[in-house]
Amino acid sequence: MTQHEFDPRVKQLLDGELTLADLPAELRAEGEEALRLLAGVDRTSVSVPAVTWRVMAALERRRRRLWWLAPAVAIAAAVVLLLGRPSTPPTTLSATVVTVRFVLVAPGAHQVSVAGTFNRWDPSATPLVRSGTADTWVATIALPPGEHQYAFVVDGARWVPDPAAPAVDDGFGRRNSVLTL
Amino acid sequence: MMRTGMILGLTLFATTLDAQQTIAERLTGRVPSEIAALVQELGGAAASRGLPVDPLIQKAIEGNAKAIPADRVAIAIRGVVAQLDSAAAALRDAGVASPVDTLEIAAGGFAITAGLRGRDIGELARTGRPTSDVIVGLRVAGTLAAMGVPREETVRLVGSSLRAQQAPGELLTLPGRVQSEMARGATPAQAAAGLARAAAAQARHGPPPDRGPPPDHGRPPRPLAPPLP
C-alpha cells in the first residue's frame, strides 16, 4: 500500500468536516479519489487482538455520549490504515477478531443496513448510520476471520451489492458482495 | 468385516440424524416448512458424505430474507450441494487425506461459486501446505476470481504464494494488493501476474533478506493421503 499525503482540505473531507461540494474544483478529483480509497481500505481486514476490540467496544459505548466525535474517530482510524498497515499480519487467525467498516453512498435513502452470512441475513441486525455527508452511511462491526457474503438493504426492501467490493452470483440471479478476512 | 460395516453404517446414520437435528434447530421459524424439510433431507445426505451443512442453511435463510420464491431457493440449495460435492471430489483427487476438512470443502465450494474449477481447487491443495493455509488460499482465490482476475492467473498467484510458504495473514493481503495495482491502471490479469512472478521468485529463492523466515517456519507439512497402490 502506498503512502500519499492529501491536501488538508481533503483530509477535512475524510473527517466529514467538508463535503465534496465544499472543495474547490481543482481538489474534487483528489477528494473523490480519497473517498474511493477510503472505501477500499475499509474493506481491508484489520486484525486486532480481542482485548483491543474490547477497547473499541468501550469507545462505541462512549460514542453514544460523544456522538459528534464518532465519525472523526472512525475515519481517522481508517486513514491510519490507509497510511500504514500493520507490518506483522496475524498468524493465529482463531485468536483474532477483525473490525470492518461498511460504507455505502445511497442518495435519498432513509434507512440502510447490511445483511450477510455474519448476521444470518437479518436486515434489521446491522443498521448503518449517516456519516458526515448526508448520503454516506457507515457501520463498523467485528467479524470472525473467514469468507463472508453480504449485501446492503436500502429502505428495508432493496438489496444492493457493495459497489466497492468483489461479488459473486447469489444463486437467485443477483450478486452478493464478498469479504475475505 | 460385517461388524466393521455395521459400525460404519451406524456412524453414518448417527451423523445424518445429528445433521438433520442441527438443521431443524437452525431453520425453525426462519424459512418455510418445505424449504426446511428440503435442507434437512439434502443436509443429512451431505453430512453423511462428509460435506459441511452450514452453506445450505445459509442459502436457505438468505433466500427467505430476500423474499425469493421457494422453488428458486430449492434450486439454489441444490446448486450449493453440487458445488460442495465438486470441491470435495477435487480435494480427494488431489490426495488430501480422508476425511477432508469441512472448512476446506466450504472454501473450495466458495472458490467454485466465484468461477474456479475443480482442477484449480486440486492444484492449490497439492501445494503441500497445511490445511489451514490451503483453506485461506482457497478463500483468497475465490475473492480474486470475484474481482475479475482470470482463473489461470488466480491459481498461479495463490499457488505461488502458498509454495513460497506465505503465512495466511500474508495471503489475505493479495486481493488488496491486486486492487492497488488495478487502481494504478493495471488489468486484473496484469496485477495478478506481477504478484505471481514475485511470489514464484520468493518460492525459488526464499524471502527477501530483510523479511526473515516466514512466520510459520518449522510448521509440519500438510498430511497427504498415502499413494494409491
Side-chain angles (χ1 to χ4, degrees):
Chain A
M1 190 161 291
T2 56
Q3 295 200 357
H4 179 79
E5 189 64 30
F6 288 116
D7 184 280
R9 285 165 291 181
V10 173
K11 290 180 178 176
Q12 284 183 287
L13 170 73
L14 292 174
D15 287 344
E17 296 168 6
L18 295 178
T19 67
L20 270 176
D22 298 327
L23 291 180
E26 67 271 17
L27 278 179
R28 281 187 195 152
E30 187 180 345
E32 287 171 357
E33 172 71 3
L35 287 174
R36 192 185 60 74
L37 280 172
L38 182 62
V41 166
D42 286 342
R43 279 153 197 80
T44 305
S45 62
V46 185
S47 296
V48 292
V51 64
T52 308
W53 176 246
R54 284 199 293 274
V55 172
M56 292 188 70
L59 283 174
E60 178 65 17
R61 283 193 295 275
R62 286 184 61 188
R63 187 183 69 83
R64 291 181 190 121
R65 293 196 300 272
L66 303 171
W67 59 270
W68 50 276
L69 276 179
V73 170
I75 292 174
V79 171
V80 167
L81 292 170
L82 180 68
L83 298 178
R85 278 177 59 83
S87 58
T88 51
T91 54
T92 311
L93 292 178
S94 59
T96 62
V97 292
V98 184
T99 58
V100 177
R101 190 158 177 263
F102 293 93
V103 181
L104 181 71
V105 177
H110 299 289
Q111 184 187 357
V112 178
S113 63
V114 59
T117 48
F118 44 81
N119 63 9
R120 298 183 179 185
W121 295 98
D122 182 352
S124 63
T126 313
L128 276 68
V129 296
R130 283 184 196 272
S131 184
T133 54
D135 294 334
T136 304
W137 297 76
V138 298
T140 303
I141 59 175
L143 294 177
E147 170 257 324
H148 305 279
Q149 294 186 29
Y150 68 97
F152 293 112
V153 187
V154 177
D155 293 337
R158 196 156 55 90
W159 291 74
V160 180
D162 188 338
V168 293
D169 184 358
D170 71 352
F172 307 124
R174 303 179 192 177
R175 308 284 288 172
N176 282 341
S177 301
V178 171
L179 180 63
T180 302
L181 306 171
Chain B
M1 192 68 158
M2 186 180 285
R3 184 178 296 173
T4 308
M6 282 179 63
I7 292 171
L8 276 175
L10 284 172
T11 306
L12 280 178
F13 182 66
T15 303
T16 304
L17 276 183
D18 188 44
Q20 287 180 333
Q21 190 175 351
T22 303
I23 292 166
E25 285 168 4
R26 289 182 60 185
L27 289 184
T28 301
R30 290 185 169 275
V31 300
S33 57
E34 68 264 34
I35 291 298
L38 175 70
V39 177
Q40 270 187 276
E41 178 196 335
L42 294 177
S48 69
R49 299 198 298 279
L51 303 181
V53 297
D54 189 64
L56 283 64
I57 296 171
Q58 287 279 0
K59 191 55 68 181
I61 294 173
E62 177 189 349
N64 190 57
K66 291 180 175 177
I68 305 294
D71 56 337
R72 290 189 65 188
V73 176
I75 291 169
I77 292 168
R78 290 183 195 281
V80 171
V81 174
Q83 286 165 344
L84 293 172
D85 268 325
S86 297
L91 290 166
R92 280 195 299 270
D93 289 348
V96 174
S98 190
V100 182
D101 191 309
T102 53
L103 283 178
E104 192 168 21
I105 296 171
F110 163 64
I112 289 174
T113 304
L116 268 64
R117 297 182 186 165
R119 66 168 179 265
D120 304 325
I121 309 299
E123 188 170 334
L124 295 178
R126 274 192 293 270
T127 52
R129 301 294 298 147
T131 304
S132 58
D133 291 11
V134 173
I135 290 170
V136 174
L138 289 170
R139 290 171 179 162
V140 168
T143 306
L144 291 170
M147 289 170 64
V149 177
R151 205 171 48 79
E152 296 81 3
E153 297 298 344
T154 292
V155 174
R156 196 169 297 137
L157 172 55
V158 177
S160 301
S161 302
L162 284 167
R163 279 187 288 275
Q165 302 192 16
Q166 290 187 5
E170 206 167 348
L171 293 171
L172 287 166
T173 65
L174 290 176
R177 292 164 68 190
V178 167
Q179 193 176 28
S180 295
E181 294 299 320
M182 287 165 60
R184 292 196 191 101
T187 65
Q190 289 168 339
L195 292 170
R197 281 193 294 275
Q202 184 181 333
R204 282 194 302 273
H205 306 298
D210 60 327
R211 289 181 50 193
D216 60 345
H217 184 72
R219 188 184 290 182
R222 171 198 183 85
L224 292 173
L228 293 172

